[in-house]
Amino acid sequence: QHNTKLGEGQTMRVFPLSNWTEKDIWQYIQQEKIPLPDLYFAKKRKVVKVGNVFIPLEHQKIALNREVDPSEIKEINCRFRSLGCIPCTGAIASDASNVQEIIEELSLAKRSERENRLIDQTSDASMERKKREGYF
């Protein structure tokens, strides 16, 4: 966020990355060779599925606030599109294990990067709704 002076007592709020797509960000990461945590890249992980979101098994007690039945546990290739606090962030099924593969995957994606947030699965005050309303 940046505030720019317009005139006496007036300011304008500017959010330069607001118009970037997820693909734009990954292309920039590739161009600048920015190092990233492994969570962004697909690998086999034990997860529990909640709606369309996969919660890593090691975080299921925090995210779900309950024990899971062993039959709910799956091992799949998945990655995180958006990292945040673990109670609200889940993974998506994916085989994209490097930046170029993520960019190729995003060329075909029809879903928002925010869809893997648990708040978007359970609440009227979802992050996706806030995004559509211009909150971000």
Side-chain angles (χ1 to χ4, degrees):
Q1 177 182 339
H2 177 71
N3 290 332
T4 304
K5 286 267 187 197
L6 295 176
E8 188 66 35
Q10 296 179 326
T11 59
M12 174 176 63
R13 294 175 69 187
V14 178
F15 299 89
L17 294 179
S18 292
N19 293 328
W20 282 36
T21 66
E22 184 180 9
K23 187 176 174 182
D24 292 335
I25 292 167
W26 281 101
Q27 288 171 328
Y28 181 79
I29 289 167
Q30 183 178 47
Q31 172 188 316
E32 298 299 320
K33 298 176 178 60
I34 298 171
L36 297 169
D38 289 342
L39 288 171
Y40 282 112
F41 303 109
K43 72 175 191 176
K44 282 216 179 288
R45 293 181 170 92
K46 289 185 179 182
V47 296
V48 176
K49 188 173 183 181
V50 177
N52 291 325
V53 178
F54 295 98
I55 305 300
L57 184 61
E58 64 267 24
H59 300 297
Q60 55 84 18
K61 282 185 188 176
I62 297 168
L64 302 177
N65 200 26
R66 68 173 174 87
E67 294 286 338
V68 297
D69 185 285
S71 67
E72 294 179 87
I73 300 168
K74 308 289 182 220
E75 188 171 23
I76 64 165
N77 277 348
C78 60
R79 70 179 186 84
F80 291 81
R81 288 176 77 185
S82 173
L83 298 183
C85 64
I86 205 62
C88 75
T89 302
I92 60 163
S94 173
D95 291 320
S97 60
N98 61 54
V99 174
Q100 183 57 43
E101 288 176 0
I102 291 172
I103 292 169
E104 290 168 10
E105 184 179 87
L106 291 173
S107 295
L108 304 173
K110 305 234 186 289
R111 298 171 61 180
S112 167
E113 75 279 7
R114 295 213 173 259
E115 280 188 310
N116 61 326
R117 293 187 176 269
L118 286 178
I119 189 174
D120 289 334
Q121 308 290 315
T122 60
S123 173
D124 283 340
S126 76
M127 297 295 264
E128 189 63 25
R129 183 175 61 79
K130 289 180 179 193
K131 182 179 172 185
R132 283 193 306 269
E133 292 173 353
Y135 179 76
F136 299 101

